[in-house]
Amino acid sequence: MALSFKELLTAVPVVLRGGNVPNIVGEAGIGKSALVAEVARQMGATLFTTVVSLSEKGDLAIPVPPLTSEAYVETEKYGSLADVQYGYTHTLIEIIETAQAHPGRPILWFLDEFNRGSQAVQSELMNLVLQRQINSLVLPEEVKLVIAENPDETMTGFENADYGVIAGDAAIKDRTVRLVMKVDVADWLAWAAEEDAQKQRPHIHDLIQRYLQEDATQLYPAERGDDLNPTPRAWQRVSDNLFELLVLPEETQRALVFDLVAGDLGEVAAQRFVQFMQTNQETLTPMDIFVSQPWGPVVPEKVMQTYQGLPEVQKLALLKSTLVAIDVAQPDNAGRFAQILTATAKDGQYAIVKQLAAGDVLEKLYDADDDSAKALYQLITKVAAYDLSED
C-alpha cells in the first residue's frame, strides 16, 4: 500500500509522536521534500535539511583542530564542539542553539536522499538515526529525525526500480518506519489551486491546472523515457517559469516557451503542453463534469451536450483522467460516470472498463448499497462482455 501527500501529512506526525523515525520512500520528484516542509509547518517545527547524497565519509567525525576557545560552542546540557564550517558540524551547532533558545519547540532534521549516500556515509549516520548520538554529543529531545529514500529493487512493489541507490543497512530498515508515497492527482490539483500566501498567486498556474485536469495522467505518466519526464516537482518549476514568461512580450514568449518547458518535462511532454497553450483549448475536465451544479447523479444538460460533441479521442482521454482524479465509486459520481461512459463509442467504453478492472473500483461498486453504484457495476459488466469484432 502507498499513501498520498494528504494521508502522509497525518501519518508522519503519528510516527514522530510514537518516538520513531519515518522513512518516506517514493519516486524522484513526487514531493517528499515538500511534504516534510509542510509537516514541519503544521507542527510549528524548525526544519533543517541535509542531503545525504552530497555528504562525504568523515563528515560526522566532527574534527577538532587547535582553535581558540572562542571557536568552541558550549552548551548547557549537551557538551561542547568546535564550530567547523563544513559537513554536519555547523548544522549540529544550529540545531543545538535552536533547541537551547526555544526549549520544547520541535525541530525536524530531514536527511534527504538517504540511500543515495555511499555505504560509508550511511554507516556513519547509523548512530544518529538509531541512537540519536554523534560521538559524545546527544541530540536534544526536541529533535525529530525524518529520512527519505528513492526506491530500490529490494523493496516490495519496486522490483523494477532503476535508481542509482545503495540498499540500506538491515538495521536501518528494522528501526525506521517505511511510508511509501504515491502521486495522488486529486490531492495535487487541490493544492495547486490554493493561494500561495507569500507569492500572492495560486501555487500552480491556471493553464497547467486546466491541462492536468483534462489529462491527469500527465502529472506523472506511467510510461517514462530515459531523459527528462513530467513529475509534480517539474510541473511546479514549469509553473514558476510560466508566471515570469507570460509577462514578457508575445514574441519573446513564443521564442522561449518550448525550450523552457522542455527543460523540465522533456520534449515529448513539452510539445503536448505547448500545443495546448497555443490553441488554449476550451474543453471539459473531470471537475466540470463531477463538481458542476445542480448536485446529484445526473450530469447537467449543458455539460452533457458539450461532452457529446467532443471527438472520441478526447472523450477517452477525459475518461482516463477521471479514473485518476475522481472516485467514481461514490454514489453521485457513479451516476455521472455511467452517463458519460454510455455516451462514448464502444471501443472507448471497452478500453476504460479494462482499466477499471485493474483497480479496486469494481469491488467498491459491488459492495455498495447505492442504486447509482449498482447501475454502474451492471453497465461495466455489460461493457466487459462486448464483442468488438461485430462492429
Side-chain angles (χ1 to χ4, degrees), residues 25 86 101 192 248 348:
V25 174
Y86 70 89
L248 300 179

Side-chain angles (χ1 to χ4, degrees), residues 85-323:
Q85 303 288 322
Y86 70 89
Y88 296 95
T89 310
H90 198 65
T91 299
L92 282 167
I93 290 171
E94 292 180 318
I95 288 174
I96 297 296
E97 288 180 341
T98 300
Q100 288 190 149
H102 307 283
R105 179 189 295 178
I107 296 170
L108 287 191
W109 190 0
F110 178 39
L111 302 177
D112 197 9
E113 298 186 354
F114 191 89
N115 60 346
R116 301 192 78 166
S118 68
Q119 191 66 61
V121 169
Q122 291 189 45
S123 296
E124 286 186 342
L125 288 167
M126 287 287 288
N127 278 345
L128 174 62
V129 175
L130 304 182
Q131 306 297 332
R132 297 177 56 81
Q133 184 171 341
I134 302 172
N135 294 341
S136 62
L137 182 71
V138 178
L139 291 180
E141 292 182 3
E142 287 86 352
V143 179
K144 309 295 182 183
L145 291 163
V146 180
I147 70 176
E149 296 184 325
N150 290 131
D152 69 67
E153 65 275 8
T154 69
M155 298 177 181
T156 302
F158 295 104
E159 290 77 10
N160 297 318
D162 189 27
Y163 287 93
V165 301
I166 298 172
D169 187 282
I172 288 288
K173 293 181 179 180
D174 184 55
R175 298 283 292 277
T176 60
V177 180
R178 182 183 297 169
L179 300 172
V180 178
M181 185 175 184
K182 67 180 180 181
V183 176
D184 188 292
V185 179
D187 272 3
W188 193 87
L189 287 173
W191 167 82
E194 292 175 358
E195 187 79 5
D196 186 322
Q198 183 177 0
K199 298 178 180 178
Q200 296 186 328
R201 68 190 190 198
H203 284 122
I204 301 297
H205 196 283
D206 182 68
L207 273 171
I208 296 175
Q209 290 185 50
R210 190 157 189 88
Y211 176 71
L212 295 175
Q213 286 169 355
E214 180 182 328
D215 188 357
T217 63
Q218 291 304 302
L219 178 62
Y220 194 88
E223 295 183 7
R224 309 185 69 73
D226 294 330
D227 195 14
L228 300 172
N229 293 283
T231 66
R233 183 168 59 196
W235 279 113
Q236 185 171 5
R237 291 196 301 270
V238 172
S239 175
D240 290 339
N241 292 342
L242 206 57
F243 276 114
E244 300 301 323
L245 179 65
L246 295 183
V247 300
L248 300 179
E250 288 189 15
E251 184 178 350
T252 305
Q253 294 178 30
R254 287 194 297 270
L256 297 179
V257 63
F258 178 81
D259 291 282
L260 286 177
V261 176
D264 280 312
L265 307 180
E267 292 191 359
V268 175
Q271 187 172 6
R272 295 182 60 172
F273 177 65
V274 172
Q275 184 178 6
F276 172 84
M277 287 181 60
Q278 291 170 344
T279 57
N280 196 20
Q281 298 179 46
E282 287 296 333
T283 184
L284 289 178
T285 71
M287 301 302 288
D288 294 329
I289 295 172
F290 292 91
V291 187
S292 52
Q293 297 187 41
W295 309 120
V298 178
V299 180
E301 183 178 357
K302 185 176 180 181
V303 175
M304 193 64 198
Q305 288 175 352
T306 303
Y307 182 83
Q308 290 169 333
L310 294 175
E312 290 300 325
V313 66
Q314 283 185 249
K315 289 181 181 179
L316 184 58
L318 182 54
L319 285 166
K320 288 182 177 180
S321 186
T322 295
L323 294 184

Side-chain angles (χ1 to χ4, degrees), residues 8-24 36 39-40 43 45 106-109 132 141-147 177 179:
L8 284 167
L9 285 178
T10 301
V12 171
V14 166
V15 173
L16 292 172
R17 289 195 296 270
N20 297 305
V21 177
N23 178 9
I24 304 165
V36 176
V39 168
M43 291 177 59
I107 296 170
L108 287 191
W109 190 0
R132 297 177 56 81
E141 292 182 3
E142 287 86 352
V143 179
K144 309 295 182 183
L145 291 163
V146 180
I147 70 176
V177 180
L179 300 172

